[in-house]
Structure formats: C-alpha cells, structure tokens
Amino acid sequence: MSAAPLNQPLAALPDAAGPTDVPLHVGLIMDGNRRWAKARGLPRALGHKAGVDAVRRTVQASADAGIGWLTLFAFSSENWQRSADEVRDLTGLLRIYLRREVGALAKNGVRLRVIGDRERFGPETASAIAAAEAATRDNSRLNLTVALSYGARAEIAQAAKAVAAEVAAGRLDLSAIDEAALGRHLSTVGMPDPDLIIRTSGEQRLSNFLLWQAAYAEFVFLDVLWPDFDATHLDQALGEYRRRVRRFGAGSG
C-alpha cells in the first residue's frame, strides 16, 4: 500500500481503495489489564506488569509485520481519576519500562515518541521520557508513539486555541483556517493518520483516542484481554484489515 503524505488533509484523500496489505499506521487501545488480574485472583499491579510484557511482544510483532507506525494508548487523561495506588503502580511501571527497554528499542531500530501531558508525571519521569526519545530519534524501522496522559478532546481544544492565537496575532487569516491549519497544532503533527485501530478486551469504543486522526481508520475489536495479546492476535487484526475496502466517503456501491 502506498503511503499518503504526512498530514494529508481529508479532502485530498483518494476516493476509494481496494483491499489493502499492511497498514502504514496502527493505533492500539490496550484494554483489560485489571480484568486479567481479577480473573486470576492477582493484584492489579501484576495485571499492569503483564500488560507491559504484551507491549514488548507487540512492538516486536509490529516491526516484523512491516508496520511503520504504531501508536499505543497507554494512559488516558481520565486515568488520573483512578485510585492513588493504581496511578502509582502505573507510573512506576512506566519508569521501569523506559529504563529497561530503551536499549532494546534502539538496538531494534525503534524510534520512541510520547504524546500527551508528560509533565503531569513529574520531572523525573518527564526527564526519562525525553532521554528515551533522544536515544532513539535516529531509528526508522518502527515509529513507536506512546500516548500518556492523553485525551483527544483536549488535544483538539489545544490546537483550536493555538490557531486562534495565530489569528489574533495576525499571523493567520481567518479565511485560511482549514483542516491542515488545525492539524499543524495536533500532537501527531508529522505522523500519518492511523489506517487501523485495534481495541482489546471486547469493548467497542474509542475512549477519547485519536478522534481527529481516526476519521477514516478501520476498526477491529478483539475479545482478548491486553496481557494475552500476542503476534497471533495482531495477525488476526491485520487479516481483517486486508479484507476491508477503504472508500474514504466514496460510497458503498
């Protein structure tokens, strides 16, 4: 499948596309850690730890499958409403992942980016994120984006504020505001829109993930809890994607 230019406005998308091969960009909503732990009589923290193992498998499987961009929804802006103990467990696992995995990511050609409000995790974690991004910035085999303290509505609102500020400062004419103008201020600027979004755990909703970017994505919902997700499940989702005909609004006839 040929790749569309980065940040291509929706109006410029092709009218239709036949069955596709490998999606350029896959978004993944990782859901089910807590249910996985509860079903086994384990503490929540062990469910999240098992989820980190699934991330490791999925990054490798995505690179092996030839996926160029993988975006993982790891921690939503709404997740801060969870108990203090669970938030502490999650942020602790994040720091451990950054410390232990960055070497493997760099060695395997994976570039790491983080979108979302990283500063909310505190200066130590924000510094670790910046260091991991710097250590992997020259890699190109797989672009791994992790959404942390991320919410799509807040992202769009922030982009709208930035566009309004440009208009107020006289740097942008009101008549020049279009999808591309707003897209330049999204956290995903420079990234292709997702072709496929996968959600685990059997739930069928986006939960405030990449709402703008997912306008023409294909969706696959899998009845597997995230800690059990592996290359077989990824292949299942990719197989379903290959059977789709992407029309980009051109109709179903």
Side-chain angles (χ1 to χ4, degrees), residues 99-114:
R99 185 171 65 249
R100 294 182 179 176
E101 297 297 322
V102 65
L105 294 176
K107 181 179 179 180
N108 290 311
V110 178
R111 179 177 182 177
L112 176 68
R113 293 180 177 90
V114 170

mmCIF file with all atom_site columns, all heavy atoms in Angstrom, residues 99-114:
data_model
loop_
_atom_site.group_PDB
_atom_site.id
_atom_site.type_symbol
_atom_site.label_atom_id
_atom_site.label_alt_id
_atom_site.label_comp_id
_atom_site.label_asym_id
_atom_site.label_entity_id
_atom_site.label_seq_id
_atom_site.pdbx_PDB_ins_code
_atom_site.Cartn_x
_atom_site.Cartn_y
_atom_site.Cartn_z
_atom_site.occupancy
_atom_site.B_iso_or_equiv
_atom_site.pdbx_formal_charge
_atom_site.auth_seq_id
_atom_site.auth_comp_id
_atom_site.auth_asym_id
_atom_site.auth_atom_id
_atom_site.pdbx_PDB_model_num
ATOM 1   N N   . ARG A 1 99  ? 13.497 2.727  31.535 1.00 0.00 ? 99  ARG A N   1
ATOM 2   C CA  . ARG A 1 99  ? 14.874 2.410  31.942 1.00 0.00 ? 99  ARG A CA  1
ATOM 3   C C   . ARG A 1 99  ? 15.360 1.107  31.325 1.00 0.00 ? 99  ARG A C   1
ATOM 4   O O   . ARG A 1 99  ? 16.508 1.016  30.857 1.00 0.00 ? 99  ARG A O   1
ATOM 5   C CB  . ARG A 1 99  ? 14.944 2.331  33.472 1.00 0.00 ? 99  ARG A CB  1
ATOM 6   C CG  . ARG A 1 99  ? 16.362 2.129  34.010 1.00 0.00 ? 99  ARG A CG  1
ATOM 7   C CD  . ARG A 1 99  ? 16.398 2.275  35.518 1.00 0.00 ? 99  ARG A CD  1
ATOM 8   N NE  . ARG A 1 99  ? 15.644 1.247  36.214 1.00 0.00 ? 99  ARG A NE  1
ATOM 9   C CZ  . ARG A 1 99  ? 14.516 1.461  36.890 1.00 0.00 ? 99  ARG A CZ  1
ATOM 10  N NH1 . ARG A 1 99  ? 14.008 2.679  36.964 1.00 0.00 ? 99  ARG A NH1 1
ATOM 11  N NH2 . ARG A 1 99  ? 13.883 0.475  37.500 1.00 0.00 ? 99  ARG A NH2 1
ATOM 12  N N   . ARG A 1 100 ? 14.494 0.109  31.272 1.00 0.00 ? 100 ARG A N   1
ATOM 13  C CA  . ARG A 1 100 ? 14.933 -1.221 30.839 1.00 0.00 ? 100 ARG A CA  1
ATOM 14  C C   . ARG A 1 100 ? 14.823 -1.461 29.342 1.00 0.00 ? 100 ARG A C   1
ATOM 15  O O   . ARG A 1 100 ? 15.568 -2.283 28.797 1.00 0.00 ? 100 ARG A O   1
ATOM 16  C CB  . ARG A 1 100 ? 14.114 -2.286 31.581 1.00 0.00 ? 100 ARG A CB  1
ATOM 17  C CG  . ARG A 1 100 ? 14.375 -2.327 33.073 1.00 0.00 ? 100 ARG A CG  1
ATOM 18  C CD  . ARG A 1 100 ? 13.560 -3.433 33.728 1.00 0.00 ? 100 ARG A CD  1
ATOM 19  N NE  . ARG A 1 100 ? 13.801 -3.520 35.164 1.00 0.00 ? 100 ARG A NE  1
ATOM 20  C CZ  . ARG A 1 100 ? 13.151 -4.348 35.979 1.00 0.00 ? 100 ARG A CZ  1
ATOM 21  N NH1 . ARG A 1 100 ? 12.243 -5.180 35.488 1.00 0.00 ? 100 ARG A NH1 1
ATOM 22  N NH2 . ARG A 1 100 ? 13.424 -4.354 37.272 1.00 0.00 ? 100 ARG A NH2 1
ATOM 23  N N   . GLU A 1 101 ? 13.886 -0.782 28.679 1.00 0.00 ? 101 GLU A N   1
ATOM 24  C CA  . GLU A 1 101 ? 13.589 -1.123 27.297 1.00 0.00 ? 101 GLU A CA  1
ATOM 25  C C   . GLU A 1 101 ? 14.238 -0.213 26.278 1.00 0.00 ? 101 GLU A C   1
ATOM 26  O O   . GLU A 1 101 ? 14.311 -0.571 25.097 1.00 0.00 ? 101 GLU A O   1
ATOM 27  C CB  . GLU A 1 101 ? 12.076 -1.121 27.080 1.00 0.00 ? 101 GLU A CB  1
ATOM 28  C CG  . GLU A 1 101 ? 11.327 -2.155 27.902 1.00 0.00 ? 101 GLU A CG  1
ATOM 29  C CD  . GLU A 1 101 ? 11.718 -3.572 27.534 1.00 0.00 ? 101 GLU A CD  1
ATOM 30  O OE1 . GLU A 1 101 ? 11.937 -3.850 26.344 1.00 0.00 ? 101 GLU A OE1 1
ATOM 31  O OE2 . GLU A 1 101 ? 11.813 -4.406 28.458 1.00 0.00 ? 101 GLU A OE2 1
ATOM 32  N N   . VAL A 1 102 ? 14.703 0.967  26.678 1.00 0.00 ? 102 VAL A N   1
ATOM 33  C CA  . VAL A 1 102 ? 15.198 1.910  25.679 1.00 0.00 ? 102 VAL A CA  1
ATOM 34  C C   . VAL A 1 102 ? 16.372 1.333  24.905 1.00 0.00 ? 102 VAL A C   1
ATOM 35  O O   . VAL A 1 102 ? 16.499 1.550  23.689 1.00 0.00 ? 102 VAL A O   1
ATOM 36  C CB  . VAL A 1 102 ? 15.559 3.264  26.332 1.00 0.00 ? 102 VAL A CB  1
ATOM 37  C CG1 . VAL A 1 102 ? 16.732 3.119  27.298 1.00 0.00 ? 102 VAL A CG1 1
ATOM 38  C CG2 . VAL A 1 102 ? 15.853 4.304  25.268 1.00 0.00 ? 102 VAL A CG2 1
ATOM 39  N N   . GLY A 1 103 ? 17.239 0.557  25.559 1.00 0.00 ? 103 GLY A N   1
ATOM 40  C CA  . GLY A 1 103 ? 18.366 -0.051 24.864 1.00 0.00 ? 103 GLY A CA  1
ATOM 41  C C   . GLY A 1 103 ? 17.909 -1.027 23.797 1.00 0.00 ? 103 GLY A C   1
ATOM 42  O O   . GLY A 1 103 ? 18.436 -1.046 22.679 1.00 0.00 ? 103 GLY A O   1
ATOM 43  N N   . ALA A 1 104 ? 16.900 -1.837 24.142 1.00 0.00 ? 104 ALA A N   1
ATOM 44  C CA  . ALA A 1 104 ? 16.377 -2.807 23.182 1.00 0.00 ? 104 ALA A CA  1
ATOM 45  C C   . ALA A 1 104 ? 15.674 -2.097 22.026 1.00 0.00 ? 104 ALA A C   1
ATOM 46  O O   . ALA A 1 104 ? 15.780 -2.519 20.868 1.00 0.00 ? 104 ALA A O   1
ATOM 47  C CB  . ALA A 1 104 ? 15.413 -3.761 23.878 1.00 0.00 ? 104 ALA A CB  1
ATOM 48  N N   . LEU A 1 105 ? 14.952 -1.017 22.322 1.00 0.00 ? 105 LEU A N   1
ATOM 49  C CA  . LEU A 1 105 ? 14.297 -0.263 21.266 1.00 0.00 ? 105 LEU A CA  1
ATOM 50  C C   . LEU A 1 105 ? 15.322 0.292  20.286 1.00 0.00 ? 105 LEU A C   1
ATOM 51  O O   . LEU A 1 105 ? 15.170 0.183  19.059 1.00 0.00 ? 105 LEU A O   1
ATOM 52  C CB  . LEU A 1 105 ? 13.461 0.874  21.859 1.00 0.00 ? 105 LEU A CB  1
ATOM 53  C CG  . LEU A 1 105 ? 12.252 0.487  22.713 1.00 0.00 ? 105 LEU A CG  1
ATOM 54  C CD1 . LEU A 1 105 ? 11.592 1.732  23.297 1.00 0.00 ? 105 LEU A CD1 1
ATOM 55  C CD2 . LEU A 1 105 ? 11.231 -0.314 21.912 1.00 0.00 ? 105 LEU A CD2 1
ATOM 56  N N   . ALA A 1 106 ? 16.374 0.884  20.836 1.00 0.00 ? 106 ALA A N   1
ATOM 57  C CA  . ALA A 1 106 ? 17.421 1.458  19.990 1.00 0.00 ? 106 ALA A CA  1
ATOM 58  C C   . ALA A 1 106 ? 18.094 0.386  19.146 1.00 0.00 ? 106 ALA A C   1
ATOM 59  O O   . ALA A 1 106 ? 18.334 0.563  17.946 1.00 0.00 ? 106 ALA A O   1
ATOM 60  C CB  . ALA A 1 106 ? 18.442 2.187  20.854 1.00 0.00 ? 106 ALA A CB  1
ATOM 61  N N   . LYS A 1 107 ? 18.389 -0.742 19.759 1.00 0.00 ? 107 LYS A N   1
ATOM 62  C CA  . LYS A 1 107 ? 19.066 -1.835 19.050 1.00 0.00 ? 107 LYS A CA  1
ATOM 63  C C   . LYS A 1 107 ? 18.207 -2.384 17.916 1.00 0.00 ? 107 LYS A C   1
ATOM 64  O O   . LYS A 1 107 ? 18.728 -2.794 16.866 1.00 0.00 ? 107 LYS A O   1
ATOM 65  C CB  . LYS A 1 107 ? 19.401 -2.953 20.038 1.00 0.00 ? 107 LYS A CB  1
ATOM 66  C CG  . LYS A 1 107 ? 20.140 -4.133 19.423 1.00 0.00 ? 107 LYS A CG  1
ATOM 67  C CD  . LYS A 1 107 ? 20.454 -5.180 20.476 1.00 0.00 ? 107 LYS A CD  1
ATOM 68  C CE  . LYS A 1 107 ? 21.166 -6.383 19.858 1.00 0.00 ? 107 LYS A CE  1
ATOM 69  N NZ  . LYS A 1 107 ? 21.476 -7.413 20.888 1.00 0.00 ? 107 LYS A NZ  1
ATOM 70  N N   . ASN A 1 108 ? 16.893 -2.401 18.104 1.00 0.00 ? 108 ASN A N   1
ATOM 71  C CA  . ASN A 1 108 ? 15.983 -2.976 17.123 1.00 0.00 ? 108 ASN A CA  1
ATOM 72  C C   . ASN A 1 108 ? 15.424 -1.953 16.139 1.00 0.00 ? 108 ASN A C   1
ATOM 73  O O   . ASN A 1 108 ? 14.489 -2.249 15.387 1.00 0.00 ? 108 ASN A O   1
ATOM 74  C CB  . ASN A 1 108 ? 14.829 -3.683 17.832 1.00 0.00 ? 108 ASN A CB  1
ATOM 75  C CG  . ASN A 1 108 ? 15.290 -4.955 18.525 1.00 0.00 ? 108 ASN A CG  1
ATOM 76  O OD1 . ASN A 1 108 ? 15.973 -5.783 17.925 1.00 0.00 ? 108 ASN A OD1 1
ATOM 77  N ND2 . ASN A 1 108 ? 14.935 -5.104 19.795 1.00 0.00 ? 108 ASN A ND2 1
ATOM 78  N N   . GLY A 1 109 ? 15.970 -0.747 16.142 1.00 0.00 ? 109 GLY A N   1
ATOM 79  C CA  . GLY A 1 109 ? 15.572 0.249  15.156 1.00 0.00 ? 109 GLY A CA  1
ATOM 80  C C   . GLY A 1 109 ? 14.248 0.915  15.416 1.00 0.00 ? 109 GLY A C   1
ATOM 81  O O   . GLY A 1 109 ? 13.593 1.400  14.480 1.00 0.00 ? 109 GLY A O   1
ATOM 82  N N   . VAL A 1 110 ? 13.825 0.970  16.678 1.00 0.00 ? 110 VAL A N   1
ATOM 83  C CA  . VAL A 1 110 ? 12.530 1.560  17.023 1.00 0.00 ? 110 VAL A CA  1
ATOM 84  C C   . VAL A 1 110 ? 12.732 2.986  17.530 1.00 0.00 ? 110 VAL A C   1
ATOM 85  O O   . VAL A 1 110 ? 13.558 3.224  18.424 1.00 0.00 ? 110 VAL A O   1
ATOM 86  C CB  . VAL A 1 110 ? 11.813 0.726  18.105 1.00 0.00 ? 110 VAL A CB  1
ATOM 87  C CG1 . VAL A 1 110 ? 10.484 1.373  18.490 1.00 0.00 ? 110 VAL A CG1 1
ATOM 88  C CG2 . VAL A 1 110 ? 11.593 -0.699 17.611 1.00 0.00 ? 110 VAL A CG2 1
ATOM 89  N N   . ARG A 1 111 ? 12.020 3.898  16.971 1.00 0.00 ? 111 ARG A N   1
ATOM 90  C CA  . ARG A 1 111 ? 12.042 5.279  17.461 1.00 0.00 ? 111 ARG A CA  1
ATOM 91  C C   . ARG A 1 111 ? 10.850 5.503  18.386 1.00 0.00 ? 111 ARG A C   1
ATOM 92  O O   . ARG A 1 111 ? 9.701  5.222  18.015 1.00 0.00 ? 111 ARG A O   1
ATOM 93  C CB  . ARG A 1 111 ? 11.977 6.286  16.309 1.00 0.00 ? 111 ARG A CB  1
ATOM 94  C CG  . ARG A 1 111 ? 11.977 7.731  16.811 1.00 0.00 ? 111 ARG A CG  1
ATOM 95  C CD  . ARG A 1 111 ? 11.986 8.743  15.693 1.00 0.00 ? 111 ARG A CD  1
ATOM 96  N NE  . ARG A 1 111 ? 12.023 10.097 16.240 1.00 0.00 ? 111 ARG A NE  1
ATOM 97  C CZ  . ARG A 1 111 ? 12.088 11.201 15.497 1.00 0.00 ? 111 ARG A CZ  1
ATOM 98  N NH1 . ARG A 1 111 ? 12.116 11.105 14.171 1.00 0.00 ? 111 ARG A NH1 1
ATOM 99  N NH2 . ARG A 1 111 ? 12.113 12.389 16.077 1.00 0.00 ? 111 ARG A NH2 1
ATOM 100 N N   . LEU A 1 112 ? 11.105 6.018  19.568 1.00 0.00 ? 112 LEU A N   1
ATOM 101 C CA  . LEU A 1 112 ? 10.061 6.259  20.560 1.00 0.00 ? 112 LEU A CA  1
ATOM 102 C C   . LEU A 1 112 ? 9.687  7.727  20.616 1.00 0.00 ? 112 LEU A C   1
ATOM 103 O O   . LEU A 1 112 ? 10.561 8.600  20.676 1.00 0.00 ? 112 LEU A O   1
ATOM 104 C CB  . LEU A 1 112 ? 10.530 5.802  21.950 1.00 0.00 ? 112 LEU A CB  1
ATOM 105 C CG  . LEU A 1 112 ? 9.565  6.093  23.116 1.00 0.00 ? 112 LEU A CG  1
ATOM 106 C CD1 . LEU A 1 112 ? 8.303  5.249  22.985 1.00 0.00 ? 112 LEU A CD1 1
ATOM 107 C CD2 . LEU A 1 112 ? 10.253 5.842  24.453 1.00 0.00 ? 112 LEU A CD2 1
ATOM 108 N N   . ARG A 1 113 ? 8.393  7.979  20.585 1.00 0.00 ? 113 ARG A N   1
ATOM 109 C CA  . ARG A 1 113 ? 7.850  9.316  20.845 1.00 0.00 ? 113 ARG A CA  1
ATOM 110 C C   . ARG A 1 113 ? 6.747  9.178  21.886 1.00 0.00 ? 113 ARG A C   1
ATOM 111 O O   . ARG A 1 113 ? 6.089  8.146  21.954 1.00 0.00 ? 113 ARG A O   1
ATOM 112 C CB  . ARG A 1 113 ? 7.238  9.933  19.580 1.00 0.00 ? 113 ARG A CB  1
ATOM 113 C CG  . ARG A 1 113 ? 8.202  10.280 18.466 1.00 0.00 ? 113 ARG A CG  1
ATOM 114 C CD  . ARG A 1 113 ? 7.392  10.877 17.305 1.00 0.00 ? 113 ARG A CD  1
ATOM 115 N NE  . ARG A 1 113 ? 8.209  11.318 16.195 1.00 0.00 ? 113 ARG A NE  1
ATOM 116 C CZ  . ARG A 1 113 ? 8.554  10.556 15.165 1.00 0.00 ? 113 ARG A CZ  1
ATOM 117 N NH1 . ARG A 1 113 ? 8.164  9.279  15.136 1.00 0.00 ? 113 ARG A NH1 1
ATOM 118 N NH2 . ARG A 1 113 ? 9.270  11.029 14.166 1.00 0.00 ? 113 ARG A NH2 1
ATOM 119 N N   . VAL A 1 114 ? 6.522  10.232 22.644 1.00 0.00 ? 114 VAL A N   1
ATOM 120 C CA  . VAL A 1 114 ? 5.432  10.260 23.615 1.00 0.00 ? 114 VAL A CA  1
ATOM 121 C C   . VAL A 1 114 ? 4.573  11.478 23.339 1.00 0.00 ? 114 VAL A C   1
ATOM 122 O O   . VAL A 1 114 ? 5.087  12.588 23.142 1.00 0.00 ? 114 VAL A O   1
ATOM 123 C CB  . VAL A 1 114 ? 5.971  10.293 25.064 1.00 0.00 ? 114 VAL A CB  1
ATOM 124 C CG1 . VAL A 1 114 ? 4.846  10.567 26.060 1.00 0.00 ? 114 VAL A CG1 1
ATOM 125 C CG2 . VAL A 1 114 ? 6.667  8.985  25.395 1.00 0.00 ? 114 VAL A CG2 1
#
